[in-house]
Amino acid sequence: MPTIRVGLLGLGTVGSGVYKILTGNQESIASKVGANVEITRILVRDRLRNRSLPVDSAILTENAADIIENPEIDIVVEVMGGLEPTLDYVLTALKNGKSVVSANKDMVALYGRELFAAARESAVDFLFEGSVAGGIPIIRPLKVCLAANRIQEIMGIINGTTNYMLTKMTREGSDYQQVLAEAQQMGYAEADPSADVGGLDAARKLAILASIAFNTRVTLNDVYVEGIEKIGARDIAYASELGYIVKLLGIAKETPEGIEARVHPCFIPHHHPLAAVSDVFNAIFVRGDAVGETMFYGRGAGEMPTGSAVAGDILDAARNRLRGTCGINCTCYEQKMIRPVEQISSRYYIRLNVQDRPGVLASIAYAFGDKEVSLATVLQKHTRGEQAEIVLITHRVRELNLQDALKLVQQLSSVHAVSNVIRVEGE
Ligand code: NAP
Ligand code: HSE
């Protein structure tokens, strides 16, 4: 049997998963591929550090050239993360004719164009299934199984940390800071949680998904991003009372005016398929013109789930190398406009802190009406002294009209604060 030689760049969480899968399932993988798939070198920062894996220390190296410039290595697996020096390493490996597998959403979301160009130049694979939603197959289903569709919409829970936090806030009524502290203690949220709670991690994944779904390059900078930092226990309670649940969603749509790509917290109806996706689980809801609605569900991170996606790509690249071919390269063959968020339309939940006196509601309703924002639901539950909390849900309006109306509302002397504004989606 021939041997396909693999070099790993990184042996952390994901690299360890890949190592365990390729060594643990060695025989069945060889049968499936028609070749032994062997890890021959591994790049780490510190080769003398104690590792829990039974790795032969002789294959560890601190010199990237041992892998990316090594003529014996067929496939380079980038699981070290970050942009520098990672991008250089990957581009060099591709230039040197190696197929590359990566789980690096930061890199793919910013440099997809350059990476694909380098892969095409060398007629090798650049595969990145693990970069979005960990173990859930979604890149290949979009590129292959759903390729005959015109994809109309993608809505995804693509960040496990924030889904865990929102699930806990919903179940226990606890507030944001308390849940974040617990998530950090449990090891679900990182010491610096900003990329997760601020929506950046989800935005990187959405940029990748939108590029594939709509066959046009969408980069991280094209995605509108809001995080969950402002979501309070009161918003979650109001959502529940009104028949919704709060989720951080990545939403990408194709419209006649261009591509919408945004990540922000949403109210979604209790009966929506994504409403049932709890804890650290991820799910991606896809609507295509032929397939209709379909949903992909599973673990969006972790050693073995992400290792599973990366190992699947390695097998794919190995088969292609044995046949002397490569698979689907870049699918961004169109150039579509990105629609600015001000032009989208949505329904909105708005929570206001106001003075509790006659005429206040009328003045607020007038300000919204003046900017053509029509109100569907009005709720006043909590009053304390001379203050009241008013909750509104609008009909579908343009974001720009909503923003103009909120400026007017904020100028009213009876309005102390616009406490929160959350889009209502999935109806
Ligand atoms: P990690 O645990 O921090 O591991 C990083 C590995 O890369 C370590 O082995 C480290 O060496 C090595 N490394 C980092 N910088 C290096 C450098 N400059 N030179 C040489 N070696 C270097 O990271 P991870 O969680 O496995 O994540 C890897 C990638 O997968 C990232 O792009 C991440 O976004 C992506 N990803 C992760 C998950 C997940 O669940 N963790 C899920 C999906 C995607 P040492 O061992 O010596 O420190
Ligand atoms: N930090 C991510 C999450 C996992 O919470 O889903 C890696 O992409």
Side-chain angles (χ1 to χ4, degrees):
M1 225 184 223
T3 296
I4 294 287
R5 292 188 175 78
V6 174
L8 295 189
L9 303 179
L11 189 63
T13 305
V14 182
S16 300
V18 173
Y19 185 89
K20 287 179 188 169
I21 294 165
L22 290 191
T23 52
N25 298 344
Q26 200 170 14
E27 280 181 25
S28 70
I29 287 173
S31 309
K32 286 174 188 166
V33 173
N36 293 310
V37 178
E38 190 183 290
I39 297 175
T40 51
R41 291 317 298 264
I42 305 175
L43 176 74
V44 289
R45 255 181 307 227
D46 177 4
R47 61 185 291 272
L48 299 176
R49 185 156 73 76
N50 270 342
R51 297 185 187 266
S52 53
L53 278 177
V55 187
D56 176 1
S57 64
I59 71 168
L60 298 181
T61 175
E62 293 172 13
N63 181 4
D66 289 343
I67 294 172
I68 58 180
E69 304 281 3
N70 183 339
E72 290 191 343
I73 286 180
D74 302 290
I75 301 173
V76 170
V77 178
E78 185 277 299
V79 280
M80 57 188 268
L83 294 175
E84 270 308 321
T86 321
L87 179 66
D88 283 345
Y89 291 174
V90 170
L91 289 174
T92 304
L94 290 168
K95 195 167 129 267
N96 288 340
K98 293 161 195 337
S99 301
V100 173
V101 173
S102 172
N104 189 334
K105 58 202 161 273
D106 312 37
M107 184 177 74
V108 180
L110 280 173
Y111 296 103
R113 189 189 307 277
E114 292 79 356
L115 293 161
F116 281 120
R120 189 170 43 241
E121 189 80 7
S122 297
V124 293
D125 283 317
F126 176 70
L127 302 171
F128 48 97
E129 186 64 68
S131 66
V132 178
I136 305 175
I138 184 64
I139 308 281
R140 202 168 273 100
L142 283 174
K143 280 196 172 192
V144 180
C145 316
L146 299 174
N149 283 256
R150 278 198 84 83
I151 302 296
Q152 295 155 330
E153 179 185 17
I154 289 183
M155 285 172 79
I157 295 175
I158 45 181
N159 182 269
T161 307
T162 47
N163 203 37
Y164 171 82
M165 290 173 63
L166 292 171
T167 302
K168 249 188 129 39
M169 287 173 78
T170 303
R171 284 190 188 143
E172 296 170 12
S174 24
D175 71 20
Y176 173 83
Q177 287 301 345
Q178 186 187 340
V179 169
L180 176 58
E182 281 172 24
Q184 284 173 318
Q185 267 167 18
M186 303 276 293
Y188 289 136
E190 292 182 26
D192 175 5
S194 52
D196 289 319
V197 298
L200 195 62
D201 176 78
R204 291 174 175 134
K205 296 167 184 167
L206 187 74
I208 298 170
L209 290 179
S211 300
I212 298 166
F214 306 124
N215 305 110
T216 188
R217 178 73 50 211
V218 178
T219 73
L220 174 63
N221 304 325
D222 296 320
V223 181
Y224 172 81
V225 192
E226 270 177 40
I228 65 162
E229 302 97 326
K230 275 176 60 189
I231 303 293
R234 294 180 93 78
D235 300 309
I236 303 249
Y238 280 122
S240 177
E241 186 175 338
L242 293 162
Y244 299 99
I245 189 159
V246 182
K247 294 287 182 193
L248 180 75
L249 294 190
I251 299 174
K253 295 183 187 178
E254 172 146 30
T255 74
E257 293 80 26
I259 302 296
E260 286 179 19
R262 46 195 166 99
V263 168
H264 50 71
C266 294
F267 274 28
I268 54 170
H270 270 299
H271 56 77
H272 193 282
L274 288 172
V277 178
S278 305
D279 299 311
V280 292
F281 280 89
N282 283 201
I284 299 135
F285 174 88
V286 181
R287 191 195 308 277
D289 63 348
V291 73
E293 296 175 354
T294 174
M295 196 161 98
F296 301 81
Y297 171 85
R299 292 193 181 274
E303 180 187 67
M304 297 307 274
T306 313
S308 158
V310 173
D313 277 350
I314 296 171
L315 268 60
D316 200 12
R319 289 192 189 102
N320 285 339
R321 287 190 86 90
L322 288 170
R323 288 193 214 111
T325 180
C326 61
I328 307 166
N329 201 305
C330 182
T331 50
C332 294
Y333 51 81
E334 293 185 58
Q335 269 192 310
K336 296 177 184 169
M337 297 285 290
I338 304 292
R339 199 177 185 202
V341 74
E342 294 76 25
Q343 286 177 21
I344 69 154
S345 63
S346 177
R347 299 185 71 199
Y348 296 84
Y349 152 94
I350 301 155
R351 178 160 64 90
L352 302 173
N353 184 271
V354 302
Q355 261 177 23
D356 194 14
R357 61 172 168 76
V360 169
L361 190 57
S363 61
I364 292 169
Y366 183 81
F368 279 113
D370 192 48
K371 297 296 173 191
E372 292 177 26
V373 175
S374 167
L375 302 176
T377 307
V378 179
L379 208 68
Q380 180 177 335
K381 301 251 338 168
H382 299 277
T383 45
R384 217 179 54 201
E386 291 184 349
Q387 292 199 22
E389 190 162 65
I390 292 180
V391 163
L392 312 163
I393 298 215
T394 71
H395 284 293
R396 182 166 284 278
V397 293
R398 265 206 332 150
E399 174 107 4
L400 192 59
N401 290 49
L402 194 272
Q403 287 175 6
D404 287 347
L406 287 174
K407 278 183 205 145
L408 281 187
V409 167
Q410 271 163 332
Q411 284 163 12
L412 296 172
S413 59
S414 54
V415 174
H416 297 310
V418 177
S419 306
N420 216 344
V421 178
I422 302 173
R423 295 170 189 83
V424 181
E425 289 284 343
E427 289 181 305

mmCIF file of all heavy atoms in Angstrom, residues 105 158-161 190 196 201 205 282 300-301, ligand 2:
data_model
loop_
_atom_site.group_PDB
_atom_site.id
_atom_site.type_symbol
_atom_site.label_atom_id
_atom_site.label_comp_id
_atom_site.label_asym_id
_atom_site.label_seq_id
_atom_site.Cartn_x
_atom_site.Cartn_y
_atom_site.Cartn_z
ATOM 1 N N LYS A 105 -10.543 29.672 10.949
ATOM 2 C CA LYS A 105 -11.570 30.583 10.404
ATOM 3 C C LYS A 105 -11.054 32.009 10.262
ATOM 4 O O LYS A 105 -11.422 32.714 9.338
ATOM 5 C CB LYS A 105 -12.819 30.573 11.284
ATOM 6 C CG LYS A 105 -12.538 30.973 12.710
ATOM 7 C CD LYS A 105 -13.572 30.495 13.679
ATOM 8 C CE LYS A 105 -13.019 30.503 15.078
ATOM 9 N NZ LYS A 105 -12.317 29.321 15.469
ATOM 10 N N ILE A 158 -23.659 29.605 15.447
ATOM 11 C CA ILE A 158 -22.314 29.148 15.070
ATOM 12 C C ILE A 158 -21.279 29.558 16.112
ATOM 13 O O ILE A 158 -20.095 29.610 15.816
ATOM 14 C CB ILE A 158 -21.942 29.627 13.640
ATOM 15 C CG1 ILE A 158 -22.314 31.089 13.421
ATOM 16 C CG2 ILE A 158 -22.594 28.738 12.600
ATOM 17 C CD1 ILE A 158 -22.006 31.616 12.024
ATOM 18 N N ASN A 159 -21.758 29.825 17.319
ATOM 19 C CA ASN A 159 -20.814 30.047 18.421
ATOM 20 C C ASN A 159 -21.356 29.347 19.664
ATOM 21 O O ASN A 159 -22.435 29.701 20.173
ATOM 22 C CB ASN A 159 -20.622 31.544 18.684
ATOM 23 C CG ASN A 159 -19.617 31.770 19.796
ATOM 24 O OD1 ASN A 159 -19.965 31.863 20.961
ATOM 25 N ND2 ASN A 159 -18.336 31.810 19.441
ATOM 26 N N GLY A 160 -20.599 28.362 20.129
ATOM 27 C CA GLY A 160 -21.071 27.534 21.238
ATOM 28 C C GLY A 160 -21.057 28.264 22.575
ATOM 29 O O GLY A 160 -21.944 28.066 23.411
ATOM 30 N N THR A 161 -20.040 29.126 22.772
ATOM 31 C CA THR A 161 -19.924 29.831 24.055
ATOM 32 C C THR A 161 -21.165 30.677 24.316
ATOM 33 O O THR A 161 -21.767 30.610 25.396
ATOM 34 C CB THR A 161 -18.673 30.749 24.031
ATOM 35 O OG1 THR A 161 -17.550 29.955 23.654
ATOM 36 C CG2 THR A 161 -18.435 31.403 25.360
ATOM 37 N N GLU A 190 -13.481 31.590 27.177
ATOM 38 C CA GLU A 190 -12.047 31.832 27.382
ATOM 39 C C GLU A 190 -11.839 32.974 28.378
ATOM 40 O O GLU A 190 -12.764 33.745 28.650
ATOM 41 C CB GLU A 190 -11.405 32.179 26.037
ATOM 42 C CG GLU A 190 -11.405 30.981 25.107
ATOM 43 C CD GLU A 190 -10.740 31.276 23.781
ATOM 44 O OE1 GLU A 190 -9.882 32.163 23.741
ATOM 45 O OE2 GLU A 190 -11.090 30.607 22.794
ATOM 46 N N ASP A 196 -15.843 35.789 21.270
ATOM 47 C CA ASP A 196 -17.074 34.998 21.311
ATOM 48 C C ASP A 196 -18.277 35.878 21.645
ATOM 49 O O ASP A 196 -19.220 35.956 20.865
ATOM 50 C CB ASP A 196 -16.942 33.863 22.341
ATOM 51 C CG ASP A 196 -15.973 32.784 21.871
ATOM 52 O OD1 ASP A 196 -16.011 32.432 20.674
ATOM 53 O OD2 ASP A 196 -15.187 32.281 22.685
ATOM 54 N N ASP A 201 -16.201 35.856 16.431
ATOM 55 C CA ASP A 201 -15.980 34.446 16.057
ATOM 56 C C ASP A 201 -17.086 33.980 15.096
ATOM 57 O O ASP A 201 -16.804 33.366 14.054
ATOM 58 C CB ASP A 201 -15.957 33.585 17.338
ATOM 59 C CG ASP A 201 -15.843 32.105 17.033
ATOM 60 O OD1 ASP A 201 -14.729 31.649 16.734
ATOM 61 O OD2 ASP A 201 -16.881 31.403 17.085
ATOM 62 N N LYS A 205 -17.064 32.907 10.816
ATOM 63 C CA LYS A 205 -17.672 31.687 10.254
ATOM 64 C C LYS A 205 -18.755 32.057 9.236
ATOM 65 O O LYS A 205 -18.898 31.407 8.199
ATOM 66 C CB LYS A 205 -18.256 30.839 11.386
ATOM 67 C CG LYS A 205 -17.187 30.324 12.356
ATOM 68 C CD LYS A 205 -17.802 29.754 13.621
ATOM 69 C CE LYS A 205 -16.745 29.342 14.624
ATOM 70 N NZ LYS A 205 -17.287 29.065 15.962
ATOM 71 N N ASN A 282 -24.228 23.726 18.119
ATOM 72 C CA ASN A 282 -24.355 24.632 16.975
ATOM 73 C C ASN A 282 -25.386 24.038 16.009
ATOM 74 O O ASN A 282 -25.624 22.826 16.034
ATOM 75 C CB ASN A 282 -23.036 24.733 16.195
ATOM 76 C CG ASN A 282 -21.976 25.614 16.838
ATOM 77 O OD1 ASN A 282 -21.073 26.081 16.185
ATOM 78 N ND2 ASN A 282 -22.074 25.862 18.135
ATOM 79 N N GLY A 300 -20.034 22.218 17.820
ATOM 80 C CA GLY A 300 -19.352 23.230 17.019
ATOM 81 C C GLY A 300 -17.906 23.454 17.385
ATOM 82 O O GLY A 300 -17.245 24.321 16.825
ATOM 83 N N ALA A 301 -17.387 22.705 18.354
ATOM 84 C CA ALA A 301 -15.991 22.896 18.761
ATOM 85 C C ALA A 301 -15.546 21.662 19.543
ATOM 86 O O ALA A 301 -16.311 20.721 19.730
ATOM 87 C CB ALA A 301 -15.859 24.141 19.625
HETATM 88 N N1 HSE B 2 -15.006 29.703 20.442
HETATM 89 C C1 HSE B 2 -15.826 28.957 19.524
HETATM 90 C C2 HSE B 2 -17.199 28.731 20.111
HETATM 91 C C3 HSE B 2 -15.228 27.615 19.147
HETATM 92 O O1 HSE B 2 -17.486 29.102 21.252
HETATM 93 O O2 HSE B 2 -18.038 28.182 19.402
HETATM 94 C C4 HSE B 2 -14.121 27.715 18.155
HETATM 95 O O3 HSE B 2 -14.596 28.241 16.944
#
